[in-house]
């Protein structure tokens, strides 16, 4: 069970414009964390929701609003990619495309067995890339779930 005592480790990113803070969800099985935005996309707001599920996995939902089209943020890009970087891992994992609609809102949901990880969003020219081409992280959050919080 994910308890409300989720520890949020903020990523120290150069040029980040907003402070990341944790807001508790409606139940003890959910943690909601504000995504930290960079100066490249200051109007963007996002949340990371982590919920317990059957088995060892957590369900992670990334929701954003006020996200400009990728090409407006970084020339030559066509998609926002969500990355998962497990603790102690060297390379992030492409978790999928964060599609943004005409209202500048988007959402992506995925599962992970990792209790400690970082999630970040980059603008990419190719949504199926295996490594971020852009070192500039647009939105980011780090999660550290206590071992007893995972069902």
């Amino acid at each position: 069970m994910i308890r409300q005592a989720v520890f949020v480790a903020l990523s120290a990113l150069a040029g980040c414009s907003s402070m990341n803070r944790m807001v508790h969800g409606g139940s003890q099985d959910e943690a909601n964390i504000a995504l930290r935005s960079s100066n490249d996309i200051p109007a963007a707001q996002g949340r990371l929701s982590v919920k317990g599920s059957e088995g060892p996995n957590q369900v992670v939902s990334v929701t954003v609003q006020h996200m400009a089209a990728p090409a407006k943020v970084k020339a030559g890009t066509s998609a926002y990619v969500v990355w998962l970087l497990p603790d102690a891992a060297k390379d992030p994992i492409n978790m999928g495309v964060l599609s943004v609609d005409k209202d500048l809102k988007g959402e992506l949901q995925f599962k992970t067995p990792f209790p400690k990880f970082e999630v970040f969003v980059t603008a990419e020219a190719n949504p199926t890339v295996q490594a971020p081409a852009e070192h500039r992280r647009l939105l980011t959050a780090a999660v550290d779930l206590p071992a007893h919080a995972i069902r």
Side-chain angles (χ1 to χ4, degrees), residues 64-88:
V64 296
Q65 57 186 4
H66 311 296
M67 286 289 278
K72 289 185 178 184
V73 175
K74 173 77 173 154
T77 63
S78 62
Y80 289 117
V81 175
V82 175
W83 301 92
L84 177 86
L85 181 62
D87 186 45

Side-chain angles (χ1 to χ4, degrees), residues 99-146:
S99 297
V100 177
D101 64 20
K102 64 180 174 77
D103 295 324
L104 307 180
K105 296 179 180 181
E107 182 173 6
L108 178 68
Q109 189 175 85
F110 59 89
K111 290 184 179 183
T112 181
F114 303 106
K116 188 173 183 180
F117 55 89
E118 182 178 356
V119 171
F120 61 93
V121 178
T122 61
E124 302 290 342
N126 178 353
T128 61
V129 295
Q130 297 302 305
E134 177 66 41
H135 294 298
R136 186 73 169 163
R137 296 176 181 190
L138 301 174
L139 297 167
T140 188
V143 177
D144 185 355
L145 301 173

Side-chain angles (χ1 to χ4, degrees), residues 53-74:
S53 68
E54 298 299 319
N57 292 325
Q58 288 76 241
V59 176
V60 179
S61 296
V62 178
T63 56
V64 296
Q65 57 186 4
H66 311 296
M67 286 289 278
K72 289 185 178 184
V73 175
K74 173 77 173 154

